[in-house]
């Protein structure tokens, strides 16, 4: 299989999908807090960590399909940032496979437009342009953006960087493809199709997924549950692992 997964813990199955530029090692702190309750399936998305990249031009559905091919037949899914898009797409295309969906610092539409807050298109375009010149520098900038606003920003960046360094560097083609998905995908109209329980977790200080997007998403997924961690930024599971684990555990135990 071209998509690498690691298994940890025991209990009901829970699939974990990381964000852009990262790999499955980023979940270490959270995994330590969840492994007593769940059998964790920690995925390296295509082209990240130990996973092979998909062919150029692969769609979000193909990214989701590559993960569906290597995880249990039925499981709860947790996706952070770009991983939240992949997890949501998997829930849309294979609802019988996803028993519950949790998105973490994610959005159905990452780029800002009229009346929708998000990443400015010119910021994303700048990243895409710089990728060809120095992809390591782009990753470093993105790490800083993810921690911006967090009360533990320096520690958050160090932990993100350490987990990134513990596995093979991301494939530049996968980095470009992931940025492309962040720039192009819009799942807002499809959220209403989700039939499984949905929990949306956010950081109040997140500059990439502004809290106003969380409020607007309430109307798009009226049956979902939402929690905003007041002092967290884009990586609440790094800055506030205990609170994030409690939210996940409480939500999934209710579904059980």
């Amino acid at each position: 299989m071209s998509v690498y997964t690691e298994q940890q813990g025991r209990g009901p199955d829970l699939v974990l999908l990381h964000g852009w530029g990262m790999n499955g090692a980023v979940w270490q702190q959270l995994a330590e807090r969840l492994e007593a309750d769940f059998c964790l399936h920690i995925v390296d998305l295509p082209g990240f960590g130990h996973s092979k990249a998909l062919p150029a031009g692969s769609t979000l559905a193909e990214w989701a399909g590559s993960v569906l091919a290597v995880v249990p037949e039925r499981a709860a899914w947790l996706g952070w940032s770009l991983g939240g898009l992949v997890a949501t797409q998997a829930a849309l295309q294979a609802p019988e496979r996803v028993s519950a969906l949790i998105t973490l610092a994610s959005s159905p539409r990452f780029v800002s437009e009229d009346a929708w807050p998000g990443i400015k298109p010119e910021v994303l375009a700048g990243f895409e342009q710089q990728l060809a010149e120095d992809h390591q520098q782009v990753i470093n900038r993105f790490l800083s953006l993810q921690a911006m606003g967090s009360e533990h920003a320096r520690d958050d960046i160090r932990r993100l960087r350490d987990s990134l360094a513990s596995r093979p560097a991301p494939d530049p083609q996968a980095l470009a493809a992931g940025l492309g998905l962040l720039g192009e995908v819009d799942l807002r109209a499809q959220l209403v199709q989700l039939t499984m329980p949905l929990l949306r977790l956010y950081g109040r200080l997140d500059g990439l997924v502004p809290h106003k997007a969380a409020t607007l998403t309430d109307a798009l997924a009226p049956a979902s549950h939402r929690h905003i961690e007041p002092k967290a930024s884009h990586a609440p599971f790094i800055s506030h692992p205990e609170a994030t684990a409690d939210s996940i555990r409480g939500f999934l135990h209710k579904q059980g």
Side-chain angles (χ1 to χ4, degrees):
M1 289 293 184
S2 57
V3 172
Y4 174 84
T5 64
E6 272 182 11
Q7 204 170 301
Q8 182 176 337
R10 56 192 300 173
D13 291 310
L14 174 59
V15 174
L16 275 63
L17 303 183
H18 61 82
W20 183 85
M22 301 303 301
N23 58 52
V26 79
W27 295 113
Q28 185 184 348
Q29 282 191 97
L30 188 67
E32 289 168 359
R33 288 162 172 82
L34 294 176
E35 64 183 0
D37 296 86
F38 305 100
C39 180
L40 306 172
H41 300 267
I42 301 170
V43 175
D44 281 350
L45 288 173
F48 297 93
H50 297 295
S51 292
K52 293 177 185 170
L54 291 174
S58 294
T59 63
L60 182 64
E62 287 167 323
W63 281 59
S66 71
V67 178
L68 283 162
V70 297
V71 298
E73 276 302 303
R74 188 161 168 82
W77 285 49
L78 163 63
W80 168 48
S81 196
L82 171 62
L85 278 183
V86 178
T88 302
Q89 177 63 36
L92 288 165
Q93 71 192 53
E96 72 287 353
R97 301 277 309 273
V98 181
S99 59
L101 175 63
I102 303 171
T103 61
L104 175 57
S106 195
S107 176
R109 175 65 170 158
F110 271 88
V111 176
S112 64
E113 54 185 64
D114 290 347
W116 185 265
I119 306 170
K120 289 180 177 164
E122 56 269 26
V123 171
L124 213 55
F127 278 145
E128 289 175 335
Q129 190 178 345
Q130 289 161 19
L131 261 187
E133 300 158 16
D134 186 351
H135 66 265
Q136 191 54 56
Q137 190 57 39
V138 175
I139 291 172
N140 287 337
R141 279 192 63 205
F142 202 71
L143 292 181
S144 299
L145 274 180
Q146 291 181 76
M148 193 182 293
S150 167
E151 56 186 343
H152 318 295
R154 198 168 288 174
D155 287 339
D156 293 359
I157 292 170
R158 180 178 53 78
R159 288 195 182 100
L160 288 166
R161 193 170 280 138
D162 287 350
S163 62
L164 182 58
S166 71
R167 295 192 182 179
D171 183 309
Q173 180 182 302
L175 288 170
L179 277 187
L181 294 177
L182 290 174
E184 295 157 18
V185 170
D186 186 351
L187 296 179
R188 286 176 293 182
Q190 289 155 269
L191 292 186
V192 72
Q193 298 171 23
L194 293 171
T195 53
M196 69 290 298
L198 169 59
L199 172 65
R200 297 153 36 230
L201 300 174
Y202 301 92
R204 177 69 174 74
L205 307 173
D206 191 344
L208 298 173
V209 181
H211 63 95
K212 285 181 185 172
T215 305
L216 291 170
T217 306
D218 288 343
L220 301 174
S224 65
H225 304 270
R226 160 167 67 93
H227 173 71
I228 299 180
E229 191 61 38
K231 292 187 175 178
S233 183
H234 192 63
F237 66 102
I238 296 277
S239 60
H240 298 80
E242 206 68 58
T244 304
D246 286 347
S247 295
I248 292 164
R249 202 182 291 113
F251 173 71
L252 290 178
H253 283 338
K254 272 184 203 166
Q255 314 313 322

